[in-house]
Amino acid sequence: SLTVKWRGKPVFIRHRPEDQIKAAEDVPLNQLPDPQPDSARVQKPEWLIVIGVCTHLGCIPLGQNPGENRGPYGGWFCPCHGSIYDTSGRIRQGPAPANLAVPTYAFTADTKVKIG
């Protein structure tokens, strides 16, 4: 995981292993408060890029650093009010009304991405 700043906001970049990709792809959309397939949130399945701002009240969720609480879905956990996101950055539990936003981005090389 890597966090960068873009337009004053943290952007979470996560290289997802196969088990996280599979977990994100296997979720039935009818179980999601803000239904969106994983394939609509990524350009390359192994790379997830989301704006790291909780959609409830703008807090910064935990889960980017080793040892931080990622919640039961392996994504991110916002301790302020208990919003829990999965490995695709989709809201699974708590008061957040929407998934973590996906910024506009493009891969300029295998290991380089341009955000915005």
Side-chain angles (χ1 to χ4, degrees):
S1 294
L2 175 69
T3 303
V4 298
K5 291 269 187 184
W6 176 66
R7 295 186 176 175
K9 297 177 184 174
V11 173
F12 296 162
I13 301 172
R14 183 177 286 180
H15 188 257
R16 303 186 302 174
E18 190 60 40
D19 62 326
Q20 287 186 10
I21 295 167
K22 182 163 177 31
E25 291 174 343
D26 288 349
V27 176
L29 294 182
N30 65 358
Q31 290 183 4
L32 299 172
D34 183 10
Q36 193 175 31
D38 183 64
S39 60
R41 298 181 56 74
V42 295
Q43 292 179 22
K44 296 180 179 184
E46 65 273 18
W47 291 105
L48 178 69
I49 301 172
V50 294
I51 297 175
V53 176
C54 181
T55 59
H56 179 233
L57 292 176
C59 305
I60 309 301
L62 300 176
Q64 277 297 91
N65 299 315
E68 287 184 346
N69 186 349
R70 291 185 174 185
Y73 303 100
W76 293 269
F77 170 69
C78 189
C80 299
H81 297 99
S83 293
I84 301 171
Y85 300 89
D86 68 10
T87 59
S88 188
R90 297 173 298 200
I91 185 64
R92 297 297 298 276
Q93 289 180 308
N99 302 328
L100 294 177
V102 176
T104 300
Y105 68 92
F107 285 94
T108 59
D110 284 343
T111 58
K112 289 188 178 184
V113 64
K114 179 182 176 186
I115 300 172

mmCIF file of all heavy atoms in Angstrom, residues 11-53:
data_model
loop_
_atom_site.group_PDB
_atom_site.id
_atom_site.type_symbol
_atom_site.label_atom_id
_atom_site.label_comp_id
_atom_site.label_asym_id
_atom_site.label_seq_id
_atom_site.Cartn_x
_atom_site.Cartn_y
_atom_site.Cartn_z
ATOM 1 N N VAL A 11 -4.614 9.694 -1.440
ATOM 2 C CA VAL A 11 -5.035 8.691 -2.408
ATOM 3 C C VAL A 11 -4.371 7.389 -1.986
ATOM 4 O O VAL A 11 -3.152 7.338 -1.806
ATOM 5 C CB VAL A 11 -4.643 9.066 -3.848
ATOM 6 C CG1 VAL A 11 -4.947 7.928 -4.816
ATOM 7 C CG2 VAL A 11 -5.365 10.336 -4.284
ATOM 8 N N PHE A 12 -5.199 6.367 -1.799
ATOM 9 C CA PHE A 12 -4.700 5.060 -1.408
ATOM 10 C C PHE A 12 -4.445 4.239 -2.664
ATOM 11 O O PHE A 12 -5.352 4.063 -3.485
ATOM 12 C CB PHE A 12 -5.713 4.323 -0.539
ATOM 13 C CG PHE A 12 -6.013 4.959 0.792
ATOM 14 C CD1 PHE A 12 -7.150 4.598 1.485
ATOM 15 C CD2 PHE A 12 -5.169 5.897 1.374
ATOM 16 C CE1 PHE A 12 -7.449 5.154 2.722
ATOM 17 C CE2 PHE A 12 -5.455 6.463 2.603
ATOM 18 C CZ PHE A 12 -6.595 6.089 3.292
ATOM 19 N N ILE A 13 -3.229 3.751 -2.794
ATOM 20 C CA ILE A 13 -2.866 2.872 -3.898
ATOM 21 C C ILE A 13 -2.493 1.534 -3.276
ATOM 22 O O ILE A 13 -1.580 1.471 -2.451
ATOM 23 C CB ILE A 13 -1.683 3.447 -4.711
ATOM 24 C CG1 ILE A 13 -2.063 4.823 -5.266
ATOM 25 C CG2 ILE A 13 -1.283 2.487 -5.823
ATOM 26 C CD1 ILE A 13 -0.921 5.571 -5.912
ATOM 27 N N ARG A 14 -3.220 0.513 -3.638
ATOM 28 C CA ARG A 14 -2.973 -0.802 -3.055
ATOM 29 C C ARG A 14 -2.748 -1.826 -4.158
ATOM 30 O O ARG A 14 -3.551 -1.958 -5.071
ATOM 31 C CB ARG A 14 -4.149 -1.237 -2.176
ATOM 32 C CG ARG A 14 -3.882 -2.570 -1.485
ATOM 33 C CD ARG A 14 -5.003 -2.980 -0.565
ATOM 34 N NE ARG A 14 -4.996 -2.169 0.645
ATOM 35 C CZ ARG A 14 -5.881 -2.323 1.626
ATOM 36 N NH1 ARG A 14 -6.838 -3.222 1.519
ATOM 37 N NH2 ARG A 14 -5.812 -1.565 2.689
ATOM 38 N N HIS A 15 -1.634 -2.533 -4.037
ATOM 39 C CA HIS A 15 -1.371 -3.669 -4.919
ATOM 40 C C HIS A 15 -2.043 -4.868 -4.261
ATOM 41 O O HIS A 15 -1.628 -5.323 -3.198
ATOM 42 C CB HIS A 15 0.137 -3.896 -5.078
ATOM 43 C CG HIS A 15 0.449 -4.910 -6.113
ATOM 44 N ND1 HIS A 15 0.815 -6.186 -5.802
ATOM 45 C CD2 HIS A 15 0.424 -4.833 -7.460
ATOM 46 C CE1 HIS A 15 1.019 -6.862 -6.913
ATOM 47 N NE2 HIS A 15 0.789 -6.059 -7.939
ATOM 48 N N ARG A 16 -3.095 -5.346 -4.894
ATOM 49 C CA ARG A 16 -3.916 -6.390 -4.289
ATOM 50 C C ARG A 16 -3.447 -7.779 -4.709
ATOM 51 O O ARG A 16 -3.316 -8.060 -5.901
ATOM 52 C CB ARG A 16 -5.385 -6.236 -4.685
ATOM 53 C CG ARG A 16 -5.969 -4.882 -4.338
ATOM 54 C CD ARG A 16 -7.448 -4.794 -4.613
ATOM 55 N NE ARG A 16 -7.784 -5.065 -6.008
ATOM 56 C CZ ARG A 16 -9.022 -5.166 -6.479
ATOM 57 N NH1 ARG A 16 -10.052 -5.019 -5.664
ATOM 58 N NH2 ARG A 16 -9.247 -5.397 -7.750
ATOM 59 N N PRO A 17 -3.249 -8.663 -3.722
ATOM 60 C CA PRO A 17 -2.948 -10.050 -4.057
ATOM 61 C C PRO A 17 -4.207 -10.749 -4.582
ATOM 62 O O PRO A 17 -5.326 -10.234 -4.457
ATOM 63 C CB PRO A 17 -2.472 -10.656 -2.740
ATOM 64 C CG PRO A 17 -3.057 -9.783 -1.685
ATOM 65 C CD PRO A 17 -3.213 -8.415 -2.292
ATOM 66 N N GLU A 18 -4.018 -11.908 -5.141
ATOM 67 C CA GLU A 18 -5.115 -12.656 -5.762
ATOM 68 C C GLU A 18 -6.288 -12.884 -4.805
ATOM 69 O O GLU A 18 -7.445 -12.786 -5.213
ATOM 70 C CB GLU A 18 -4.601 -13.992 -6.297
ATOM 71 C CG GLU A 18 -5.602 -14.730 -7.165
ATOM 72 C CD GLU A 18 -6.031 -13.955 -8.410
ATOM 73 O OE1 GLU A 18 -5.184 -13.304 -9.040
ATOM 74 O OE2 GLU A 18 -7.232 -14.004 -8.756
ATOM 75 N N ASP A 19 -6.027 -13.150 -3.521
ATOM 76 C CA ASP A 19 -7.135 -13.406 -2.592
ATOM 77 C C ASP A 19 -7.986 -12.154 -2.372
ATOM 78 O O ASP A 19 -9.211 -12.249 -2.234
ATOM 79 C CB ASP A 19 -6.638 -13.978 -1.268
ATOM 80 C CG ASP A 19 -5.712 -13.043 -0.502
ATOM 81 O OD1 ASP A 19 -4.941 -12.296 -1.128
ATOM 82 O OD2 ASP A 19 -5.768 -13.073 0.748
ATOM 83 N N GLN A 20 -7.381 -10.971 -2.362
ATOM 84 C CA GLN A 20 -8.157 -9.736 -2.222
ATOM 85 C C GLN A 20 -8.969 -9.451 -3.489
ATOM 86 O O GLN A 20 -10.102 -8.980 -3.406
ATOM 87 C CB GLN A 20 -7.253 -8.551 -1.912
ATOM 88 C CG GLN A 20 -6.707 -8.559 -0.513
ATOM 89 C CD GLN A 20 -5.930 -7.294 -0.188
ATOM 90 O OE1 GLN A 20 -5.935 -6.312 -0.929
ATOM 91 N NE2 GLN A 20 -5.243 -7.312 0.939
ATOM 92 N N ILE A 21 -8.385 -9.730 -4.639
ATOM 93 C CA ILE A 21 -9.112 -9.538 -5.902
ATOM 94 C C ILE A 21 -10.320 -10.461 -5.942
ATOM 95 O O ILE A 21 -11.437 -10.035 -6.234
ATOM 96 C CB ILE A 21 -8.191 -9.792 -7.111
ATOM 97 C CG1 ILE A 21 -7.061 -8.754 -7.158
ATOM 98 C CG2 ILE A 21 -8.991 -9.782 -8.414
ATOM 99 C CD1 ILE A 21 -5.947 -9.100 -8.119
ATOM 100 N N LYS A 22 -10.105 -11.731 -5.617
ATOM 101 C CA LYS A 22 -11.199 -12.710 -5.636
ATOM 102 C C LYS A 22 -12.292 -12.322 -4.638
ATOM 103 O O LYS A 22 -13.474 -12.393 -4.952
ATOM 104 C CB LYS A 22 -10.673 -14.104 -5.339
ATOM 105 C CG LYS A 22 -11.754 -15.175 -5.399
ATOM 106 C CD LYS A 22 -11.190 -16.551 -5.508
ATOM 107 C CE LYS A 22 -12.228 -17.645 -5.508
ATOM 108 N NZ LYS A 22 -13.507 -17.375 -6.053
ATOM 109 N N ALA A 23 -11.890 -11.901 -3.443
ATOM 110 C CA ALA A 23 -12.871 -11.490 -2.432
ATOM 111 C C ALA A 23 -13.719 -10.331 -2.951
ATOM 112 O O ALA A 23 -14.939 -10.303 -2.763
ATOM 113 C CB ALA A 23 -12.173 -11.098 -1.130
ATOM 114 N N ALA A 24 -13.094 -9.384 -3.625
ATOM 115 C CA ALA A 24 -13.821 -8.226 -4.153
ATOM 116 C C ALA A 24 -14.746 -8.617 -5.300
ATOM 117 O O ALA A 24 -15.863 -8.104 -5.412
ATOM 118 C CB ALA A 24 -12.831 -7.159 -4.625
ATOM 119 N N GLU A 25 -14.303 -9.531 -6.139
ATOM 120 C CA GLU A 25 -15.114 -9.942 -7.294
ATOM 121 C C GLU A 25 -16.285 -10.841 -6.914
ATOM 122 O O GLU A 25 -17.304 -10.856 -7.609
ATOM 123 C CB GLU A 25 -14.224 -10.678 -8.309
ATOM 124 C CG GLU A 25 -13.218 -9.778 -8.983
ATOM 125 C CD GLU A 25 -12.247 -10.521 -9.882
ATOM 126 O OE1 GLU A 25 -12.110 -11.755 -9.771
ATOM 127 O OE2 GLU A 25 -11.613 -9.842 -10.718
ATOM 128 N N ASP A 26 -16.143 -11.577 -5.812
ATOM 129 C CA ASP A 26 -17.160 -12.564 -5.432
ATOM 130 C C ASP A 26 -18.327 -12.011 -4.616
ATOM 131 O O ASP A 26 -19.254 -12.746 -4.295
ATOM 132 C CB ASP A 26 -16.510 -13.714 -4.657
ATOM 133 C CG ASP A 26 -15.660 -14.609 -5.540
ATOM 134 O OD1 ASP A 26 -15.727 -14.473 -6.784
ATOM 135 O OD2 ASP A 26 -14.916 -15.442 -4.986
ATOM 136 N N VAL A 27 -18.302 -10.738 -4.269
ATOM 137 C CA VAL A 27 -19.380 -10.156 -3.443
ATOM 138 C C VAL A 27 -20.630 -9.955 -4.300
ATOM 139 O O VAL A 27 -20.582 -9.283 -5.331
ATOM 140 C CB VAL A 27 -18.937 -8.798 -2.851
ATOM 141 C CG1 VAL A 27 -20.079 -8.147 -2.084
ATOM 142 C CG2 VAL A 27 -17.731 -8.973 -1.958
ATOM 143 N N PRO A 28 -21.760 -10.533 -3.877
ATOM 144 C CA PRO A 28 -23.013 -10.262 -4.597
ATOM 145 C C PRO A 28 -23.372 -8.781 -4.476
ATOM 146 O O PRO A 28 -23.353 -8.208 -3.385
ATOM 147 C CB PRO A 28 -24.041 -11.133 -3.878
ATOM 148 C CG PRO A 28 -23.244 -12.172 -3.151
ATOM 149 C CD PRO A 28 -21.939 -11.511 -2.801
ATOM 150 N N LEU A 29 -23.681 -8.150 -5.589
ATOM 151 C CA LEU A 29 -23.959 -6.712 -5.586
ATOM 152 C C LEU A 29 -25.152 -6.349 -4.708
ATOM 153 O O LEU A 29 -25.203 -5.243 -4.165
ATOM 154 C CB LEU A 29 -24.170 -6.211 -7.015
ATOM 155 C CG LEU A 29 -22.941 -6.273 -7.922
ATOM 156 C CD1 LEU A 29 -23.268 -5.712 -9.298
ATOM 157 C CD2 LEU A 29 -21.756 -5.551 -7.312
ATOM 158 N N ASN A 30 -26.087 -7.269 -4.522
ATOM 159 C CA ASN A 30 -27.257 -6.961 -3.683
ATOM 160 C C ASN A 30 -26.899 -6.880 -2.200
ATOM 161 O O ASN A 30 -27.727 -6.485 -1.391
ATOM 162 C CB ASN A 30 -28.392 -7.950 -3.929
ATOM 163 C CG ASN A 30 -28.057 -9.369 -3.502
ATOM 164 O OD1 ASN A 30 -26.959 -9.656 -3.039
ATOM 165 N ND2 ASN A 30 -29.009 -10.257 -3.691
ATOM 166 N N GLN A 31 -25.662 -7.216 -1.829
ATOM 167 C CA GLN A 31 -25.206 -7.091 -0.440
ATOM 168 C C GLN A 31 -24.523 -5.743 -0.182
ATOM 169 O O GLN A 31 -24.120 -5.467 0.938
ATOM 170 C CB GLN A 31 -24.226 -8.210 -0.098
ATOM 171 C CG GLN A 31 -24.846 -9.570 -0.010
ATOM 172 C CD GLN A 31 -23.823 -10.627 0.402
ATOM 173 O OE1 GLN A 31 -22.668 -10.340 0.700
ATOM 174 N NE2 GLN A 31 -24.271 -11.868 0.430
ATOM 175 N N LEU A 32 -24.397 -4.930 -1.214
ATOM 176 C CA LEU A 32 -23.666 -3.674 -1.087
ATOM 177 C C LEU A 32 -24.605 -2.479 -0.970
ATOM 178 O O LEU A 32 -25.521 -2.339 -1.772
ATOM 179 C CB LEU A 32 -22.744 -3.478 -2.305
ATOM 180 C CG LEU A 32 -21.679 -4.548 -2.520
ATOM 181 C CD1 LEU A 32 -20.982 -4.327 -3.846
ATOM 182 C CD2 LEU A 32 -20.685 -4.544 -1.376
ATOM 183 N N PRO A 33 -24.361 -1.593 0.005
ATOM 184 C CA PRO A 33 -25.177 -0.380 0.119
ATOM 185 C C PRO A 33 -25.067 0.528 -1.107
ATOM 186 O O PRO A 33 -26.006 1.214 -1.470
ATOM 187 C CB PRO A 33 -24.620 0.312 1.362
ATOM 188 C CG PRO A 33 -23.939 -0.756 2.145
ATOM 189 C CD PRO A 33 -23.431 -1.739 1.133
ATOM 190 N N ASP A 34 -23.887 0.547 -1.721
ATOM 191 C CA ASP A 34 -23.622 1.345 -2.927
ATOM 192 C C ASP A 34 -23.093 0.364 -3.981
ATOM 193 O O ASP A 34 -21.894 0.243 -4.185
ATOM 194 C CB ASP A 34 -22.594 2.439 -2.610
ATOM 195 C CG ASP A 34 -22.319 3.371 -3.785
ATOM 196 O OD1 ASP A 34 -23.056 3.309 -4.788
ATOM 197 O OD2 ASP A 34 -21.353 4.154 -3.685
ATOM 198 N N PRO A 35 -24.018 -0.376 -4.638
ATOM 199 C CA PRO A 35 -23.602 -1.474 -5.518
ATOM 200 C C PRO A 35 -22.734 -1.022 -6.688
ATOM 201 O O PRO A 35 -23.107 -0.129 -7.437
ATOM 202 C CB PRO A 35 -24.920 -2.048 -6.042
ATOM 203 C CG PRO A 35 -25.987 -1.486 -5.180
ATOM 204 C CD PRO A 35 -25.466 -0.216 -4.602
ATOM 205 N N GLN A 36 -21.574 -1.630 -6.787
ATOM 206 C CA GLN A 36 -20.658 -1.354 -7.884
ATOM 207 C C GLN A 36 -19.728 -2.562 -8.004
ATOM 208 O O GLN A 36 -19.078 -2.941 -7.025
ATOM 209 C CB GLN A 36 -19.856 -0.086 -7.591
ATOM 210 C CG GLN A 36 -19.105 0.459 -8.767
ATOM 211 C CD GLN A 36 -18.439 1.793 -8.428
ATOM 212 O OE1 GLN A 36 -18.047 2.057 -7.312
ATOM 213 N NE2 GLN A 36 -18.299 2.627 -9.438
ATOM 214 N N PRO A 37 -19.662 -3.168 -9.196
ATOM 215 C CA PRO A 37 -18.756 -4.313 -9.332
ATOM 216 C C PRO A 37 -17.302 -3.871 -9.226
ATOM 217 O O PRO A 37 -16.950 -2.735 -9.570
ATOM 218 C CB PRO A 37 -19.077 -4.858 -10.724
ATOM 219 C CG PRO A 37 -19.689 -3.726 -11.464
ATOM 220 C CD PRO A 37 -20.373 -2.863 -10.439
ATOM 221 N N ASP A 38 -16.471 -4.773 -8.750
ATOM 222 C CA ASP A 38 -15.045 -4.477 -8.632
ATOM 223 C C ASP A 38 -14.473 -4.054 -9.977
ATOM 224 O O ASP A 38 -13.653 -3.137 -10.044
ATOM 225 C CB ASP A 38 -14.303 -5.703 -8.083
ATOM 226 C CG ASP A 38 -12.834 -5.449 -7.867
ATOM 227 O OD1 ASP A 38 -12.493 -4.594 -7.024
ATOM 228 O OD2 ASP A 38 -12.016 -6.085 -8.554
ATOM 229 N N SER A 39 -14.916 -4.690 -11.040
ATOM 230 C CA SER A 39 -14.383 -4.401 -12.381
ATOM 231 C C SER A 39 -14.626 -2.956 -12.816
ATOM 232 O O SER A 39 -13.890 -2.424 -13.641
ATOM 233 C CB SER A 39 -14.982 -5.355 -13.412
ATOM 234 O OG SER A 39 -16.390 -5.218 -13.448
ATOM 235 N N ALA A 40 -15.632 -2.290 -12.239
ATOM 236 C CA ALA A 40 -15.915 -0.902 -12.572
ATOM 237 C C ALA A 40 -15.031 0.067 -11.772
ATOM 238 O O ALA A 40 -15.005 1.258 -12.051
ATOM 239 C CB ALA A 40 -17.383 -0.577 -12.313
ATOM 240 N N ARG A 41 -14.293 -0.467 -10.795
ATOM 241 C CA ARG A 41 -13.493 0.371 -9.905
ATOM 242 C C ARG A 41 -11.993 0.281 -10.171
ATOM 243 O O ARG A 41 -11.210 1.000 -9.561
ATOM 244 C CB ARG A 41 -13.787 -0.011 -8.451
ATOM 245 C CG ARG A 41 -15.262 0.225 -8.096
ATOM 246 C CD ARG A 41 -15.576 -0.133 -6.663
ATOM 247 N NE ARG A 41 -14.764 0.554 -5.683
ATOM 248 C CZ ARG A 41 -14.893 1.838 -5.337
ATOM 249 N NH1 ARG A 41 -15.815 2.585 -5.908
ATOM 250 N NH2 ARG A 41 -14.105 2.362 -4.423
ATOM 251 N N VAL A 42 -11.594 -0.630 -11.047
ATOM 252 C CA VAL A 42 -10.171 -0.834 -11.319
ATOM 253 C C VAL A 42 -9.922 -0.901 -12.820
ATOM 254 O O VAL A 42 -10.800 -1.303 -13.586
ATOM 255 C CB VAL A 42 -9.641 -2.125 -10.652
ATOM 256 C CG1 VAL A 42 -9.702 -2.030 -9.142
ATOM 257 C CG2 VAL A 42 -10.382 -3.348 -11.142
ATOM 258 N N GLN A 43 -8.725 -0.497 -13.229
ATOM 259 C CA GLN A 43 -8.315 -0.678 -14.617
ATOM 260 C C GLN A 43 -7.521 -1.970 -14.768
ATOM 261 O O GLN A 43 -7.614 -2.647 -15.784
ATOM 262 C CB GLN A 43 -7.478 0.514 -15.087
ATOM 263 C CG GLN A 43 -8.276 1.787 -15.183
ATOM 264 C CD GLN A 43 -7.429 2.962 -15.630
ATOM 265 O OE1 GLN A 43 -6.374 2.810 -16.236
ATOM 266 N NE2 GLN A 43 -7.892 4.160 -15.313
ATOM 267 N N LYS A 44 -6.727 -2.272 -13.753
ATOM 268 C CA LYS A 44 -5.982 -3.526 -13.660
ATOM 269 C C LYS A 44 -6.371 -4.139 -12.322
ATOM 270 O O LYS A 44 -6.233 -3.475 -11.294
ATOM 271 C CB LYS A 44 -4.473 -3.272 -13.693
ATOM 272 C CG LYS A 44 -3.974 -2.669 -14.987
ATOM 273 C CD LYS A 44 -2.471 -2.467 -14.924
ATOM 274 C CE LYS A 44 -1.939 -1.886 -16.217
ATOM 275 N NZ LYS A 44 -0.474 -1.776 -16.205
ATOM 276 N N PRO A 45 -6.867 -5.370 -12.296
ATOM 277 C CA PRO A 45 -7.378 -5.944 -11.046
ATOM 278 C C PRO A 45 -6.401 -5.903 -9.875
ATOM 279 O O PRO A 45 -6.820 -5.759 -8.730
ATOM 280 C CB PRO A 45 -7.709 -7.390 -11.416
ATOM 281 C CG PRO A 45 -7.902 -7.382 -12.882
ATOM 282 C CD PRO A 45 -7.005 -6.300 -13.416
ATOM 283 N N GLU A 46 -5.100 -5.985 -10.174
ATOM 284 C CA GLU A 46 -4.129 -6.020 -9.080
ATOM 285 C C GLU A 46 -3.868 -4.647 -8.463
ATOM 286 O O GLU A 46 -3.249 -4.549 -7.414
ATOM 287 C CB GLU A 46 -2.814 -6.671 -9.533
ATOM 288 C CG GLU A 46 -2.055 -5.915 -10.593
ATOM 289 C CD GLU A 46 -2.471 -6.237 -12.026
ATOM 290 O OE1 GLU A 46 -3.554 -6.786 -12.269
ATOM 291 O OE2 GLU A 46 -1.696 -5.902 -12.936
ATOM 292 N N TRP A 47 -4.353 -3.579 -9.079
ATOM 293 C CA TRP A 47 -4.132 -2.221 -8.562
ATOM 294 C C TRP A 47 -5.452 -1.546 -8.253
ATOM 295 O O TRP A 47 -6.275 -1.325 -9.134
ATOM 296 C CB TRP A 47 -3.362 -1.370 -9.565
ATOM 297 C CG TRP A 47 -1.949 -1.803 -9.749
ATOM 298 C CD1 TRP A 47 -1.427 -2.485 -10.818
ATOM 299 C CD2 TRP A 47 -0.874 -1.592 -8.840
ATOM 300 N NE1 TRP A 47 -0.094 -2.705 -10.617
ATOM 301 C CE2 TRP A 47 0.284 -2.166 -9.410
ATOM 302 C CE3 TRP A 47 -0.773 -0.976 -7.594
ATOM 303 C CZ2 TRP A 47 1.516 -2.147 -8.787
ATOM 304 C CZ3 TRP A 47 0.468 -0.955 -6.972
ATOM 305 C CH2 TRP A 47 1.589 -1.527 -7.564
ATOM 306 N N LEU A 48 -5.649 -1.195 -6.984
ATOM 307 C CA LEU A 48 -6.825 -0.413 -6.581
ATOM 308 C C LEU A 48 -6.337 0.982 -6.216
ATOM 309 O O LEU A 48 -5.385 1.139 -5.437
ATOM 310 C CB LEU A 48 -7.523 -1.043 -5.380
ATOM 311 C CG LEU A 48 -8.721 -0.257 -4.866
ATOM 312 C CD1 LEU A 48 -9.878 -0.310 -5.864
ATOM 313 C CD2 LEU A 48 -9.166 -0.751 -3.509
ATOM 314 N N ILE A 49 -6.976 1.994 -6.770
ATOM 315 C CA ILE A 49 -6.627 3.390 -6.503
ATOM 316 C C ILE A 49 -7.902 4.119 -6.105
ATOM 317 O O ILE A 49 -8.844 4.212 -6.892
ATOM 318 C CB ILE A 49 -5.976 4.036 -7.749
ATOM 319 C CG1 ILE A 49 -4.714 3.247 -8.134
ATOM 320 C CG2 ILE A 49 -5.676 5.504 -7.493
ATOM 321 C CD1 ILE A 49 -4.093 3.673 -9.440
ATOM 322 N N VAL A 50 -7.949 4.601 -4.852
ATOM 323 C CA VAL A 50 -9.139 5.283 -4.342
ATOM 324 C C VAL A 50 -8.730 6.515 -3.548
ATOM 325 O O VAL A 50 -7.616 6.589 -3.014
ATOM 326 C CB VAL A 50 -10.004 4.358 -3.445
ATOM 327 C CG1 VAL A 50 -10.600 3.215 -4.242
ATOM 328 C CG2 VAL A 50 -9.230 3.827 -2.253
ATOM 329 N N ILE A 51 -9.624 7.465 -3.461
ATOM 330 C CA ILE A 51 -9.404 8.634 -2.603
ATOM 331 C C ILE A 51 -9.669 8.186 -1.175
ATOM 332 O O ILE A 51 -10.739 7.664 -0.868
ATOM 333 C CB ILE A 51 -10.306 9.803 -3.024
ATOM 334 C CG1 ILE A 51 -9.931 10.240 -4.449
ATOM 335 C CG2 ILE A 51 -10.173 10.966 -2.037
ATOM 336 C CD1 ILE A 51 -10.815 11.304 -5.035
ATOM 337 N N GLY A 52 -8.688 8.371 -0.317
ATOM 338 C CA GLY A 52 -8.744 7.869 1.052
ATOM 339 C C GLY A 52 -9.466 8.779 2.016
ATOM 340 O O GLY A 52 -8.913 9.144 3.053
ATOM 341 N N VAL A 53 -10.693 9.121 1.680
ATOM 342 C CA VAL A 53 -11.512 9.981 2.535
ATOM 343 C C VAL A 53 -12.855 9.292 2.746
ATOM 344 O O VAL A 53 -13.563 8.984 1.779
ATOM 345 C CB VAL A 53 -11.719 11.378 1.898
ATOM 346 C CG1 VAL A 53 -12.640 12.224 2.744
ATOM 347 C CG2 VAL A 53 -10.376 12.077 1.706
#
